[in-house]
Amino acid sequence: MKADKAEAVKERLETQLKELHLPTVRSSYEELARQAEAETLSYERYLLNLCDQECQERRRRKIERLLRQSCLPLEKTFEAFDLKRLPPKVARQVQSLREGDFVDRKENLLAFGKPGSGKTHLLCGLAQDLVNQGRRVWFTTCSLLVQTLLVAKRDLKLSRVLKRLASYEVLLIDDLGYVQQNREEMEVLFTLLADRYERGSVWLTSNLPFSKWESIFKDPMTTAAAIDRLVHHSVIVELNLPSYRLEHAKKAKDDATE
């Protein structure tokens, strides 16, 4: 009779934990109860341990979901970036960016440098740090973003797409100016930048200095307006470095000939 009663309590408890959407508590309460009994823990301590496990698992699943939604290349972590390649002043600047305070202020992050200098890797590593803090980030190449906006404009859904992108704290646009676009393509990009101005952080990488951005936005006024919106609240990182890929290839060749 006692065993039947205990089984009924267990069944009712698991039903209610399922209804309350507490899967980690449901899967671990028995093991933690045995541990609490062995260590003579108080009821409050036992309950706290259960809640800790549930919260940790929820945080883990949330970060996993945010990383998946971010579209970031997950191999480009901050830890995998070679900070020794950076001048000391730039390395200190980069380290200070890891906390992400500038994102709270809706400031932009602009990284300039030659192809292969590590711009994309650096910003993706910093972005992953933010995701691990529970922040929403979205990564895209400039060319893919422009095509997405063009399709939305054609289908009269541009405002809806802009609203969706506004839900991200950081919008990371890779390779601005790498592929030359026409005027219509640049108009939708400018629309996005204007929409996010002082409302969300824009991160971008470019191998073109500001002095050559007229080739991107096609006319002086649009170019000046785009630069003004990006630079007004921004952090600029200049990676005047040789190509990491060329250095790596040269080292591999030298090692092979030794």
Side-chain angles (χ1 to χ4, degrees):
M1 183 68 70
K2 189 174 182 180
D4 291 343
K5 187 176 181 180
E7 190 63 31
V9 169
K10 178 181 177 182
E11 184 177 338
R12 185 179 173 190
L13 175 59
E14 294 199 357
T15 299
Q16 292 183 350
L17 289 173
K18 188 175 183 180
E19 185 177 336
L20 291 168
H21 303 290
L22 297 170
T24 306
V25 171
R26 187 158 59 95
S27 65
S28 59
Y29 76 89
E30 289 184 292
E31 180 185 349
L32 288 181
R34 288 192 292 270
Q35 179 183 329
E37 187 176 12
E39 298 177 9
T40 62
L41 300 179
S42 66
Y43 295 128
E44 291 83 1
R45 185 66 199 187
Y46 166 61
L47 181 60
L48 177 61
N49 289 346
L50 273 177
C51 292
D52 280 345
Q53 284 209 7
E54 182 69 43
C55 289
Q56 289 171 16
E57 181 61 18
R58 288 192 180 198
R59 279 193 292 267
R60 186 193 68 78
R61 289 199 302 267
K62 177 184 178 182
I63 290 171
E64 189 177 79
R65 183 179 71 254
L66 290 174
L67 279 173
R68 189 167 58 249
Q69 293 173 348
S70 73
C71 297
L72 285 164
L74 300 183
E75 73 280 1
K76 296 185 185 298
T77 64
F78 188 84
E79 288 71 22
F81 185 84
D82 187 6
L83 283 174
K84 295 178 182 177
R85 299 181 71 241
L86 300 179
K89 183 179 179 180
V90 178
R92 289 193 298 271
Q93 179 189 24
V94 167
Q95 286 286 8
S96 70
L97 295 173
R98 297 191 72 182
E99 296 180 7
D101 295 345
F102 68 102
V103 173
D104 296 324
R105 298 189 294 270
K106 309 294 189 298
E107 294 178 4
N108 302 321
L109 175 57
L110 317 176
F112 295 92
K114 298 177 182 177
S117 59
K119 304 181 299 296
T120 301
H121 190 154
L122 176 60
L123 265 60
C124 286
L126 290 169
Q128 283 196 53
D129 279 357
L130 292 187
V131 174
N132 286 322
Q133 295 173 20
R135 297 173 182 263
R136 297 196 72 206
V137 172
W138 192 57
F139 169 87
T140 182
T141 62
C142 184
S143 57
L144 181 59
L145 173 63
V146 165
Q147 294 309 310
T148 299
L149 296 174
L150 276 178
V151 170
K153 182 181 179 181
R154 182 199 66 195
D155 297 342
L156 304 179
K157 296 179 180 178
L158 185 56
S159 60
R160 187 183 307 175
V161 171
L162 292 177
K163 184 177 180 180
R164 176 175 63 81
L165 295 179
S167 69
Y168 292 95
E169 293 180 72
V170 169
L171 180 58
L172 201 171
I173 306 172
D174 193 32
D175 285 335
L176 179 69
Y178 189 77
V179 177
Q180 293 298 306
Q181 274 98 17
N182 61 37
R183 184 177 294 274
E184 184 184 10
E185 291 171 329
M186 287 301 96
E187 282 177 356
V188 291
L189 179 59
F190 179 79
T191 299
L192 169 66
L193 296 178
D195 183 75
R196 283 189 71 88
Y197 177 58
E198 295 188 327
R199 296 174 60 190
S201 183
V202 174
W203 296 14
L204 62 82
T205 70
S206 181
N207 59 345
L208 295 178
F210 289 133
S211 60
K212 296 184 179 180
W213 274 29
E214 193 170 325
S215 65
I216 302 175
F217 290 99
K218 308 307 178 186
D219 71 79
M221 287 188 64
T222 306
T223 301
I227 293 173
D228 182 66
R229 282 164 172 77
L230 286 169
V231 173
H232 184 205
H233 306 291
S234 70
V235 179
I236 297 176
V237 177
E238 296 187 13
L239 300 180
N240 298 316
L241 306 170
S243 169
Y244 172 80
R245 290 185 286 270
L246 288 178
E247 285 185 345
H248 186 75
K250 184 177 182 301
K251 185 178 184 303
K253 183 178 179 181
D254 291 343
D255 291 343
T257 56
E258 287 181 358

